[in-house]
Amino acid sequence: MEIKNIVENITINIDGQDVDVPKGTNIIEAVKMVGKGKEVPHYCYHPKLSIAGNCRMCMVEMGMPMRDRATGEAILDDDGTQKIGWMPKPTIGCATNAAPGMHIRTNSEMVKESRNGVTEFLLINHPLDCPICDQAGECRLQEFSAEHGRGYSRFTEEKNVKPKRTKLGPRVTLDDERCILCSRCVRFSKEIANDDVLGFVDRGTYSTLTCYPGKELEHNYSLNTVDICPVGALTSTDFRFKMRVWFLKRTHSICTESSVGANTEIWSREGKIYRVTPRRNDAVNDTWMTDSGRGLFKSIDADDRLTHYTIDGVHKTPTQAAVAAAELLKAGDAALIGSAHSSVEEQFYYKAIADRSSAKVALVSHYDSADGILQSEDRTPNLRGALVTGLIDSLPEAELSAIAREINSGAVKTLFVVNEDVTKLGIPADALSQVKVIYVGTHANETSQGAAVVLPSLSVFEKDGTFINQSFRLQRFKAAVPGPSGVTSDFSVLEQVAASLNDEKPAAITIDVAWEYIAKSISQFEDSLRWRGIPDEGLALDAKAFLDIPFVETKNLKFDPVAFKEAHATPAGA
Amino acid sequence: MAIQEQRLIFKHIDEPGYTNDIDCYIKHGGYEQLKKAVTMKPEDICAEVLESGVRGRGGAGFPAGMKWKFLDRKSGKPIYLVCNCDESEPGTFKDREIVHQDPHQLIEGMMCSAFAIQAKLAFIYIRGEFFQGYKILERAIEEAREKNLLGDNILGSGYSCDIIVHRGAGAYICGEETGLIESIEGNRANPRIKPPYFPAALGLYQCPTIVNNVETLCDVKHIIELGGKGFAQIGTPGNTGTRIWCVSGHVEKPGYYEFPCSAVTLGQLIYDVCGGLKPGRKLKAVIPGGSSAKILRADERFTGKLKDGTEFDWGIEDIPMDFDSLMAVGSMSGSGGVIVMDDSTDMVEALANINYFYAHESCGQCTPCREGVPWMRKVTQRMVDGEAREEDADLLKNIADQIAGRTICAFGEAASWPVQSFIAKFKDEFVQKAREQAARRKEGKAAATKTTLI
Ligand SMILES: Cc1cc2nc3c(=O)[nH]c(=O)nc-3n(C[C@H](O)[C@H](O)[C@H](O)COP(=O)(O)O)c2cc1C
Ligand code: SF4
Ligand code: SF4
Ligand code: FES
């Protein structure tokens, strides 16, 4: 259920074609709406930042229908159509808002000539070092210069010299000679990251981007400046010189850092991830993500990664380990410590396993302070999934001392732990030693070390699945790279555990086979919904059943809990 | 025989015995117009200013009364009045004299204007280098406040308004009205994009703001005195009031001279008023409105039609000194800075000098100006340094064409017009420069001759 504002549509004419656009749309966006890849080239404009109008690349010709000043009547052309009064000078598309009857030319001689002029100007002091520049392949200056440049230089004077390789902060490196002074990074830091650290010093052609004296570009969103820098001025210190971008495969994913669920893109080659960048989703993260979220992929190569299915420390096949886990559960008196890091699919299976083994279920909360932007209080990606799948029906506790007491009293004899190190969560090692532990997780910890059965699990980068974020949006992620060799997808191993509990033969499971079951048994999903059918921008679920749960998230960039509750409390269509 | 000046704004400038304190000002009839103004209805004063036809003296010549009409009064936000005293256009030196010698005239003009537009607060943005002027204004404002001519409940009228003097940030671009507003707000003087930031709607602190030049605001005082109609009788229709012409360059008596609009021709101004050129020199060119105005060539014929339809056919000396005539001949009266050049002037050097200024002063925000203007400077510098090429003239014109009309603020035009007009009118000299240098080089001599450039 999306809340739609009623925006008036108006008709404007772009290059002779009438186009309906929402009133107030700027010309860059309006031209995009024409489709067919039509675009007004631009540098400084960014849909999520204030308008600066400084690059002058987006110039178009603009005209309005003419009216007689005195009578207000339309002035007609010979053919009876209303005459268009064209402005004598080009105007910038980014700061021109569509008005009824407006006429726009995006490719007239005047427009082409202005664009070519701007392109020439941007190149005269540019170092032209594309062969050693990381931005090559995704550089707007390179692209537009190929399209709008003259191919040779009329500039025979000496180029400006500016600072190179400046460390702006822990993660961002600046080459001032490449900077086209578009101020996107400045505006981003001020308007989105709320940390006004960047600015220009000196004047005119000597204008130089720099940090406020004594400060660094160190906020947790600093790498977004690298993403939006249209040229190679700002580069990621981590990604610099690692790989040409055109060699990289891009996979859609979801950031697991918090319940915001920022949409991301994983850039990989031959099974290795090189970087993670945000993917635009206006309902979730706009075009941004945290620096910390981008670094999460590094843990997949950690030394303590679990890579083998084991029973009492001895390597086994997945099936052997799954059967062993089922046997332990069948003995009864089990408890399952689930995880809000698991995908919806996995949580569905944990729920089935808990039901079939009559295990009690507990989850642990992972709360921390929020930044009000894209890092929410709940530092797990899928708490809503645990609720929707019915794995839990209320918010998780902060720790597990209740389970510890049951272990001590003998009421719990088997502990199925997903992702958590319970020794840090109120179940001391001596209590843990009294129970049989089944451990599912990506990395080793004190809990996994003494476990009877270990089922290694794939990370979000290595598997397909879905999460449900803070606003009950079902979002899909895809495997970008293969997991450790021999480790199979979590839900197929869990299917084996669940089947063994019922003494059935496990079904050969693909994610969409799993979804046949999931969609059928969970009311929030349409029966026909399959993983493959989930749109790229996610699917807003009906949250009515969960509105009374006191979730911890406070207002952040795209989510306002109060407004969310109000919007979802009213019946659809009202 | 010298033509007699008719001074209105400069009436007391350089008058022996006239001092810049309030007592002297009041002795000469000062603040009578403010006393009158606060008894009038604000909208009536606005109507008088509109009727007077007074046009802005800061450069663009936009009718002040019309500008005031554009004020967004519906927003409910406070209205601000800003006096532009950044006077940085090369060749202009009038506002400083007003501030130094007759500051109370400005204050009275400002308070009349502030009352008329019902401003909540007024500012004088004074060029940073004018430190003396700043101190004079501070003292004058204190004097006026003591006499209740500004501050709370001015002259018992119930209207309150104060003036804050803000020292400029030492750059030419601070004089551009939206850059000036940014500067008052404490930011770099980066001009704002229009739309949406028209000062009359979204000006200082995003509130409706009127920015007027020092001289324009002084005119308002005289409009109250003479009435709109009376003021309009000075000069000609569409070119009302007086103008202060700041004449510099190769004349015998450079200086400021005030005349009703159209009262003198350019020839009279140079030969009669300023005592003509240096002995044995001939007039070569004139920049009539500050260095950004397009240059006029002495041997040109100017023909065309005026706004009212009358045809004209003028030599340079026949051009009447007013807004419309100078516009009609393809230049502008701008800030009133008349720069006279005789036949000793090397046009390439002159342009190199102007380019140096504009390249130094560009704020650097928008691409065409930031990159194009310094490029033009580098070209003209290279030309005077002995590396001129015949094709440089075309290159210069082409760069200028790529700047004008494509920038955030009018600085783009201010920097391109000199280049465009110098090349249009003196291209032969630019080409000649290259040929001469080539010839000298062939003879084994240094290509560059000694220059007078900074
Ligand atoms: C680059 C640039 C510099 C300017 N400098 C000044 C200045 O120093 N003083 C001034 O009064 N106006 C200056 N102006 C004009 C102002 O923007 C503005 O138009 C003027 O102050 C309005 O006052 P007026 O209407 O009374 O002339 C400048 C304009 C530009 C584009
Ligand atoms: S560093 Fe990049 S984003 Fe920042 S102003 Fe320069 S070109 Fe623009
Ligand atoms: S035209 Fe020049 S001075 Fe004006 S905003 Fe652009 S760069 Fe700055
Ligand atoms: S995109 Fe419009 S001026 Fe830069």
Side-chain angles (χ1 to χ4, degrees):
Chain A
M1 191 182 58
E2 295 279 74
I3 313 302
K4 287 213 173 75
N5 290 327
I6 296 143
V7 191
E8 194 189 332
N9 260 350
I10 55 162
T11 306
I12 66 169
N13 185 288
I14 297 172
D15 294 331
Q17 184 183 345
D18 279 344
V19 189
D20 282 353
V21 300
K23 193 175 172 182
T25 310
N26 73 53
I27 297 307
I28 293 186
E29 296 296 337
V31 169
K32 252 187 232 163
M33 291 174 191
V34 176
K36 299 185 214 105
K38 202 174 170 74
E39 179 189 38
V40 178
H42 58 271
Y43 295 108
C44 69
Y45 170 72
H46 188 283
K48 300 295 173 189
L49 299 175
S50 64
I51 304 283
N54 58 34
C55 76
R56 317 306 284 182
M57 188 64 179
C58 67
M59 282 185 284
V60 295
E61 258 190 276
M62 196 258 280
M64 289 300 284
M66 283 169 79
R67 289 184 175 282
D68 190 294
R69 278 240 178 103
T71 62
E73 261 175 54
I75 299 177
L76 301 185
D77 244 336
D78 295 341
D79 60 357
T81 55
Q82 195 165 358
K83 211 180 177 122
I84 303 303
W86 290 96
M87 305 278 279
K89 296 193 234 170
T91 134
I92 48 172
C94 62
T96 305
N97 291 338
M102 184 182 269
H103 277 58
I104 295 291
R105 291 181 185 144
T106 68
N107 238 335
S108 64
E109 272 316 302
M110 188 203 281
V111 171
K112 281 192 215 158
E113 199 212 311
S114 335
R115 249 185 238 153
N116 297 351
V118 168
T119 304
E120 175 170 45
F121 286 144
L122 285 176
L123 291 177
I124 60 173
N125 280 306
H126 186 279
L128 303 178
D129 55 350
C130 310
I132 56 152
C133 178
D134 253 313
Q135 192 81 358
E138 52 181 2
C139 176
R140 302 295 263 167
L141 186 61
Q142 201 178 43
E143 290 159 18
F144 294 146
S145 297
E147 222 171 309
H148 309 290
R150 39 174 89 241
Y152 66 94
S153 177
R154 299 192 292 172
F155 184 79
T156 53
E157 324 301 329
E158 259 178 52
K159 286 182 189 264
N160 287 342
V161 175
K162 286 188 187 175
K164 309 282 273 185
R165 288 177 297 280
T166 308
K167 253 191 86 193
L168 272 191
R171 292 172 292 280
V172 180
T173 305
L174 165 68
D175 182 322
D176 265 308
E177 287 184 348
R178 294 180 189 153
C179 170
I180 60 165
L181 302 156
C182 73
S183 80
R184 274 182 168 189
C185 56
V186 178
R187 284 174 281 147
F188 171 82
S189 288
K190 183 175 178 181
E191 295 164 16
I192 308 292
N194 303 320
D195 188 10
D196 195 4
V197 284
L198 295 178
F200 298 117
V201 292
D202 294 337
R203 193 165 68 207
T205 188
Y206 301 111
S207 298
T208 305
L209 177 72
T210 188
C211 266
Y212 191 86
K215 285 197 166 185
E216 282 201 324
L217 176 65
E218 58 185 356
H219 55 67
N220 196 24
Y221 292 84
S222 71
L223 285 167
N224 292 281
T225 64
V226 174
D227 298 336
I228 60 177
C229 178
V231 293
L234 296 176
T235 49
S236 154
T237 310
D238 179 52
F239 178 66
R240 247 164 99 81
F241 305 134
K242 293 266 166 67
M243 185 55 67
R244 284 305 195 184
V245 291
W246 55 83
F247 290 132
L248 295 174
K249 180 183 84 169
R250 294 152 75 161
T251 311
H252 287 186
S253 190
I254 300 296
C255 180
T256 58
E257 187 183 39
S258 77
S259 60
V260 167
N263 290 204
T264 62
E265 212 158 42
I266 315 292
W267 300 67
S268 64
R269 184 187 185 193
E270 290 171 3
K272 185 168 150 63
I273 297 176
Y274 285 86
R275 66 174 181 185
V276 177
T277 57
R279 174 164 53 92
R280 179 169 175 175
N281 187 331
D282 290 352
V284 179
N285 57 306
D286 281 345
T287 50
W288 323 120
M289 75 178 291
T290 57
D291 289 2
S292 40
R294 295 170 198 248
L296 294 177
F297 77 88
K298 303 222 156 165
S299 72
I300 64 175
D301 291 328
D303 289 341
D304 59 353
R305 187 75 199 265
L306 291 174
T307 51
H308 293 284
Y309 298 84
T310 61
I311 301 172
D312 294 328
V314 181
H315 293 189
K316 298 287 173 182
T317 64
T319 308
Q320 289 169 328
V323 172
E327 291 308 318
L328 288 176
L329 290 170
K330 275 185 189 169
D333 301 331
L336 188 149
I337 315 299
S339 166
H341 268 99
S342 305
S343 68
V344 170
E345 296 77 7
E346 290 153 23
Q347 286 168 343
F348 177 79
Y349 275 103
Y350 291 128
K351 163 84 171 140
I353 289 167
D355 287 351
R356 289 177 188 186
S357 57
S358 309
K360 51 174 65 77
V361 176
L363 253 65
V364 193
S365 62
H366 292 276
Y367 299 149
D368 205 335
S369 60
D371 68 3
I373 309 172
L374 289 176
Q375 203 179 46
S376 65
E377 286 83 350
D378 182 355
R379 298 304 175 80
T380 63
N382 200 25
L383 180 62
R384 307 307 193 269
L387 289 159
V388 169
T389 52
L391 183 61
I392 50 173
D393 53 17
S394 59
L395 290 182
E397 301 284 334
E399 40 85 287
L400 298 165
S401 49
I403 301 280
R405 280 194 296 278
E406 296 198 51
I407 292 173
N408 288 333
S409 73
V412 167
K413 299 208 172 65
T414 302
L415 206 54
F416 192 133
V417 183
V418 186
N419 284 332
E420 307 284 9
D421 183 4
V422 296
T423 62
K424 304 225 160 46
L425 297 169
I427 305 182
D430 59 335
L432 196 62
S433 64
Q434 298 170 37
V435 291
K436 291 281 187 189
V437 175
I438 303 160
Y439 186 80
V440 184
T442 51
H443 291 77
N445 57 28
E446 264 188 70
T447 307
S448 72
Q449 272 151 22
V453 177
V454 171
L455 306 171
S457 141
L458 292 175
S459 76
V460 66
F461 307 99
E462 300 154 341
K463 64 189 174 191
D464 296 339
T466 49
F467 293 134
I468 300 172
N469 82 347
Q470 58 184 357
S471 59
F472 282 86
R473 179 172 284 265
L474 178 70
Q475 306 197 98
R476 185 174 64 161
F477 55 88
K478 285 186 195 159
V481 292
S485 74
V487 179
T488 54
S489 75
D490 290 53
F491 57 80
S492 65
V493 175
L494 297 177
E495 158 73 14
Q496 294 190 45
V497 177
S500 304
L501 284 173
N502 268 13
D503 296 322
E504 289 165 0
K505 253 178 81 94
I509 287 286
T510 65
I511 190 156
D512 273 337
V513 172
W515 265 88
E516 276 177 39
Y517 300 116
I518 295 170
K520 220 179 299 165
S521 51
I522 295 175
S523 67
Q524 273 78 17
F525 304 138
E526 298 270 342
D527 282 359
S528 60
L529 185 64
R530 296 292 175 268
W531 181 80
R532 242 163 266 283
I534 298 168
D536 256 351
E537 69 277 12
L539 202 61
L541 302 177
D542 184 353
K544 220 173 292 130
F546 308 99
L547 292 181
D548 291 337
I549 297 176
F551 292 111
V552 293
E553 285 91 350
T554 50
K555 195 170 182 317
N556 48 47
L557 187 69
K558 287 284 163 177
F559 178 66
D560 179 347
V562 178
F564 180 81
K565 229 170 150 163
E566 277 168 18
H568 284 253
T570 45
Chain B
M1 207 197 73
I3 297 174
Q4 205 51 47
E5 271 190 80
Q6 288 178 45
R7 290 189 167 194
L8 185 69
I9 308 294
F10 266 30
K11 188 160 175 209
H12 299 298
I13 301 293
D14 301 329
E15 185 179 296
Y18 191 86
T19 50
N20 62 14
D21 55 272
I22 198 163
D23 293 334
C24 178
Y25 185 67
I26 289 176
K27 211 159 57 200
H28 287 77
Y31 287 111
E32 288 306 315
Q33 305 319 318
L34 178 59
K35 284 184 197 158
K36 180 173 161 191
V38 294
T39 64
M40 294 170 73
K41 278 207 219 131
E43 56 271 29
D44 290 347
I45 304 178
C46 291
E48 295 290 335
V49 171
L50 188 64
E51 193 181 8
S52 78
V54 64
R55 292 167 71 168
R57 266 58 170 159
F62 192 80
M66 197 97 88
K67 187 188 277 191
W68 292 11
K69 255 179 109 165
F70 291 153
L71 264 181
D72 177 5
R73 293 176 182 279
K74 280 187 250 129
S75 68
K77 294 190 214 166
I79 292 169
Y80 296 114
L81 174 70
V82 180
C83 168
N84 190 342
C85 184
D86 195 53
E87 190 164 70
S88 325
E89 175 79 10
T92 317
F93 40 88
K94 59 186 180 69
D95 298 344
R96 181 178 48 177
E97 294 310 319
I98 297 172
V99 167
H100 276 232
Q101 300 195 41
D102 206 4
H104 284 286
Q105 183 184 197
L106 173 60
I107 294 170
E108 185 173 10
M110 278 186 77
M111 293 319 292
C112 293
S113 308
F115 179 76
I117 63 170
Q118 289 290 295
K120 178 148 177 76
L121 190 58
F123 293 81
I124 301 175
Y125 187 94
I126 184 165
R127 179 173 172 165
E129 292 86 338
F130 291 175
F131 187 60
Q132 199 58 31
Y134 162 72
K135 290 209 294 201
I136 292 168
L137 281 174
E138 288 272 284
R139 199 203 62 212
I141 287 168
E142 207 36 62
E143 288 173 340
R145 189 179 289 116
E146 273 168 22
K147 293 203 167 2
N148 193 219
L149 298 161
L150 57 79
D152 288 338
N153 190 16
I154 296 167
L155 299 169
S157 65
Y159 173 69
S160 304
C161 182
D162 218 317
I163 298 181
I164 291 173
V165 187
H166 188 108
R167 289 188 63 210
Y172 171 66
I173 197 59
C174 296
E176 196 282 339
E177 55 187 9
T178 57
L180 185 156
I181 286 170
E182 283 285 320
S183 184
I184 295 185
E185 288 186 9
N187 306 321
R188 279 167 73 98
N190 283 2
R192 297 173 173 174
I193 48 173
K194 300 183 237 180
Y197 301 108
F198 292 107
L202 296 170
L204 185 59
Y205 306 116
Q206 300 299 318
C207 296
T209 303
I210 290 294
V211 183
N212 272 129
N213 174 256
V214 171
E215 191 186 336
T216 318
L217 290 168
C218 290
D219 279 327
V220 173
K221 172 197 147 165
H222 300 281
I223 292 168
I224 307 249
E225 181 172 5
L226 304 169
K229 218 180 244 136
F231 186 89
Q233 264 149 27
I234 310 171
T236 57
N239 300 270
T240 57
T242 62
R243 289 287 319 242
I244 300 156
W245 304 111
C246 311
V247 188
S248 63
H250 302 142
V251 290
E252 286 285 18
K253 287 192 292 175
Y256 34 75
Y257 302 95
E258 186 174 1
F259 291 97
C261 285
S262 316
V264 287
T265 62
L266 185 50
Q268 286 170 321
L269 186 63
I270 293 172
Y271 295 105
D272 300 336
V273 178
C274 295
L277 304 169
K278 306 269 176 200
R281 290 289 168 197
K282 264 176 51 197
L283 185 65
K284 183 167 187 181
V286 178
I287 301 176
S291 64
S292 56
K294 288 193 174 177
I295 194 165
L296 306 171
R297 192 176 160 127
D299 54 6
E300 265 183 283
R301 273 320 290 171
F302 303 94
T303 56
K305 255 189 205 166
L306 288 176
K307 260 200 217 150
D308 62 8
T310 48
E311 291 193 10
F312 63 86
D313 180 5
W314 293 326
I316 194 167
E317 288 159 17
D318 311 324
I319 303 170
M321 292 300 284
D322 64 45
F323 293 92
D324 290 338
S325 304
L326 286 165
M327 204 126 76
V329 299
S331 187
M332 62 174 181
S333 60
S335 56
V338 182
I339 303 167
V340 181
M341 301 180 195
D342 69 19
D343 55 357
S344 70
T345 314
D346 178 325
M347 283 301 158
V348 181
E349 282 185 19
L351 183 62
N353 187 314
I354 293 175
N355 283 351
Y356 183 91
F357 174 78
Y358 288 105
H360 187 257
E361 296 300 330
S362 159
C363 86
Q365 236 193 133
C366 61
T367 309
C369 169
R370 178 185 68 239
E371 302 296 337
V373 180
W375 186 4
M376 298 193 297
R377 176 188 103 76
K378 284 178 180 173
V379 172
T380 45
Q381 186 66 50
R382 173 169 53 68
M383 292 184 79
V384 297
D385 285 347
E387 298 291 329
R389 301 172 312 199
E390 288 188 29
E391 64 270 27
D392 283 337
D394 289 334
L395 176 64
L396 282 168
K397 173 175 184 307
N398 202 264
I399 300 171
D401 290 348
Q402 286 183 176
I403 302 168
R406 285 127 198 236
T407 53
I408 291 181
C409 82
F411 185 103
E413 278 86 17
S416 326
W417 284 340
V419 175
Q420 288 172 331
S421 60
F422 270 68
I423 301 296
K425 308 211 166 156
F426 295 99
K427 184 173 174 185
D428 45 344
E429 283 197 33
F430 284 75
V431 176
Q432 190 56 27
K433 187 89 173 173
R435 294 197 181 137
E436 278 170 17
Q437 288 176 352
R440 271 202 297 279
R441 211 176 286 118
K442 226 177 192 170
E443 290 168 26
K445 293 188 203 150
T449 48
K450 203 166 152 358
T451 75
T452 49
L453 272 186
I454 21 162

